[in-house]
Amino acid sequence: MDFLKISEYSNTGLSENPKHLNLEITNQIISKFFNPKKEVLDWYDTFINHIGCDVNDIIFIWARRTDKSSESKIPSVDEYLRLLSTIDYENKKVLIQTDDHSVLEEFKTKNLSFYTLPQIPLPKDKDKPFHVNLWLVSDEDFKKIYGITKIDHLRQMVALSLIAKNAHKSIIYPGNPTTFIPLFKGSFDDCILYKDDINLF
């Protein structure tokens, strides 16, 4: 009962403070019930091959904005860069995932060499996050618009989570990945997790 109480939903995933989660318990649950299918692992391999290095040589930044800005204080691009500057990323490759055109364009204006994954489409409607398009658009229209099925996009997101789990370092915006990446890892090691725009867990 204590575990369930601590694991209540919050704007950062599970718990008001993810550090209170008992990862020994959650990791047993994840290990028992979470086994990615071949289709997810295929996307994982596609992404790693695109970047062209071992996953342990990736620093992964997940920088959502869109509607998340109304739910939490979201770090600015400069804040992500400030944090990145504290990490020795020589001989590492930076991978950035975002659902926001403006965030991506702002990263491009900075003095930073980074990768994105062209296989993952950005929303056509720049004011709406991608997950809104999932439930507002029919399966057929989604595939016509984005060139992939909804289920494949969800597989892409799981594959990204596995990259975040295995990367050298992962910097994660305040939201659900704040807890589900450590749950997958069974550890908070090498995860830099934002609580809001400047505070870290």
Side-chain angles (χ1 to χ4, degrees):
M1 293 305 295
D2 286 343
F3 172 75
L4 290 174
K5 184 176 180 180
I6 288 171
S7 302
E8 288 179 355
Y9 178 78
S10 73
N11 67 335
T12 52
L14 300 178
S15 179
E16 290 296 332
N17 185 343
K19 289 286 189 177
H20 292 161
L21 292 171
N22 186 330
L23 296 186
E24 289 184 15
I25 295 175
T26 57
N27 195 245
Q28 290 181 59
I29 297 168
I30 295 288
S31 298
K32 177 71 175 177
F33 296 105
F34 183 80
N35 296 293
K37 294 177 72 172
K38 179 182 182 299
E39 292 87 348
V40 170
L41 298 177
D42 287 345
W43 277 117
Y44 179 89
D45 291 340
T46 296
F47 295 156
I48 297 300
N49 290 336
H50 172 78
I51 300 165
C53 68
D54 188 88
V55 70
N56 293 317
D57 292 324
I58 293 172
I59 295 175
F60 181 50
I61 299 174
W62 211 329
R64 262 206 70 207
R65 191 180 287 172
T66 55
D67 68 326
K68 201 68 191 170
S69 299
S70 66
E71 300 170 8
S72 183
K73 293 182 177 179
I74 301 299
S76 66
V77 168
D78 285 336
E79 170 59 19
Y80 284 111
L81 295 176
R82 184 200 65 75
L83 189 52
L84 185 61
S85 71
T86 67
I87 301 169
D88 179 11
Y89 61 95
E90 187 177 357
N91 300 320
K92 305 295 181 191
K93 294 188 178 180
V94 176
L95 170 63
I96 296 174
Q97 171 60 28
T98 182
D99 66 343
D100 192 303
H101 293 266
S102 64
V103 172
L104 183 58
E105 292 307 312
E106 189 173 349
F107 270 113
K108 288 178 180 178
T109 68
K110 305 298 181 178
N111 185 27
L112 176 68
S113 175
F114 67 90
Y115 287 80
T116 59
L117 297 170
Q119 301 89 346
I120 301 178
L122 283 164
K124 298 293 185 186
D125 185 340
K126 294 184 179 183
D127 296 324
K128 291 180 181 175
F130 213 95
H131 64 271
V132 170
N133 290 291
L134 282 176
W135 65 271
L136 281 180
V137 180
S138 71
D139 292 349
E140 295 77 14
D141 288 344
F142 187 90
K143 187 168 184 180
K144 286 178 187 174
I145 296 169
Y146 296 106
I148 60 171
T149 63
K150 289 183 183 182
I151 191 68
D152 255 337
H153 178 64
L154 296 174
R155 288 169 178 151
Q156 289 178 335
M157 292 298 103
V158 178
L160 271 180
S161 300
L162 295 176
I163 290 174
K165 167 191 169 186
N166 296 326
H168 176 70
K169 298 281 185 191
S170 288
I171 304 171
I172 309 294
Y173 69 90
N176 289 325
T178 300
T179 48
F180 72 67
I181 300 306
L183 293 180
F184 289 175
K185 286 176 71 74
S187 161
F188 291 100
D189 295 347
D190 300 318
C191 288
I192 302 169
L193 308 167
Y194 275 100
K195 181 177 183 179
D196 50 41
D197 55 342
I198 56 173
N199 295 303
L200 302 171
F201 281 112

